[in-house]
Amino acid sequence: MDKLELLMKRIDKFNKDRDWDQFHSPCNLSKSICIEAGELLECFQWDSNKFNMDDVKEEIADVMNYCLQMCNVLMLDPIEIINKKMDVNEKKYPVEKAKGVSIKYDKL
């Protein structure tokens, strides 16, 4: 069993032990992802160069935790869907056009 599988089992057990799966609909998980992403952004609210790395780590973990729970609820393999999206992004943003440029793919 790889690290991701172990982590997903741990998250699943944590939720089952507390009977929280009842609250983890895709809609509620989507809201939670947005809320936690906002809390991550808050770490950089007043100074993007001075931030508390421990707070950043905690908020990244919260966002990722909810994303993994969403994958679990929807029976998605996170590695597979990320790789598929990377395939799409590599086509949208070819190195020869996108290197060092931050504009959207349709403007390249």
Side-chain angles (χ1 to χ4, degrees), residues 1-7 9:
M1 191 173 303
D2 67 13
K3 289 181 181 181
L4 179 60
E5 287 177 286
L6 288 171
L7 177 59
K9 284 185 183 283

Side-chain angles (χ1 to χ4, degrees), residues 24 29 32-33 36 61-70:
H24 292 165
L29 290 168
S32 296
I33 291 165
E36 294 300 338
D62 287 341
V63 171
M64 293 178 70
N65 187 326
Y66 281 123
C67 287
L68 290 173
Q69 288 181 64
M70 175 79 88

Side-chain angles (χ1 to χ4, degrees), residues 65-96:
N65 187 326
Y66 281 123
C67 287
L68 290 173
Q69 288 181 64
M70 175 79 88
C71 286
N72 191 40
V73 166
L74 297 174
M75 294 182 283
L76 300 171
D77 177 343
I79 301 296
E80 180 182 323
I81 64 174
I82 291 170
N83 276 319
K84 281 185 180 179
K85 182 61 178 175
M86 288 303 301
D87 291 344
V88 169
N89 287 345
E90 287 169 352
K91 288 178 183 153
K92 282 183 179 177
Y93 296 96
V95 174
E96 59 275 3

Side-chain angles (χ1 to χ4, degrees), residues 20-22 29 31 34 36 40 54 57 63 68 75 84 91 96 98 101 103:
W20 285 356
D21 284 339
Q22 62 182 313
L29 290 168
K31 292 173 192 175
C34 289
E36 294 300 338
L40 174 59
D54 289 333
K57 288 181 198 177
V63 171
L68 290 173
M75 294 182 283
K84 281 185 180 179
K91 288 178 183 153
E96 59 275 3
V101 178
I103 60 176

Side-chain angles (χ1 to χ4, degrees), residues 12-48:
D12 189 49
K13 181 180 181 334
F14 179 89
N15 291 320
K16 284 191 183 342
D17 287 351
R18 289 156 182 80
D19 193 26
W20 285 356
D21 284 339
Q22 62 182 313
F23 307 117
H24 292 165
S25 67
C27 181
N28 285 346
L29 290 168
S30 294
K31 292 173 192 175
S32 296
I33 291 165
C34 289
I35 291 164
E36 294 300 338
E39 290 180 12
L40 174 59
L41 185 58
E42 188 177 26
C43 294
F44 305 97
Q45 184 172 8
W46 303 116
D47 188 339
S48 60

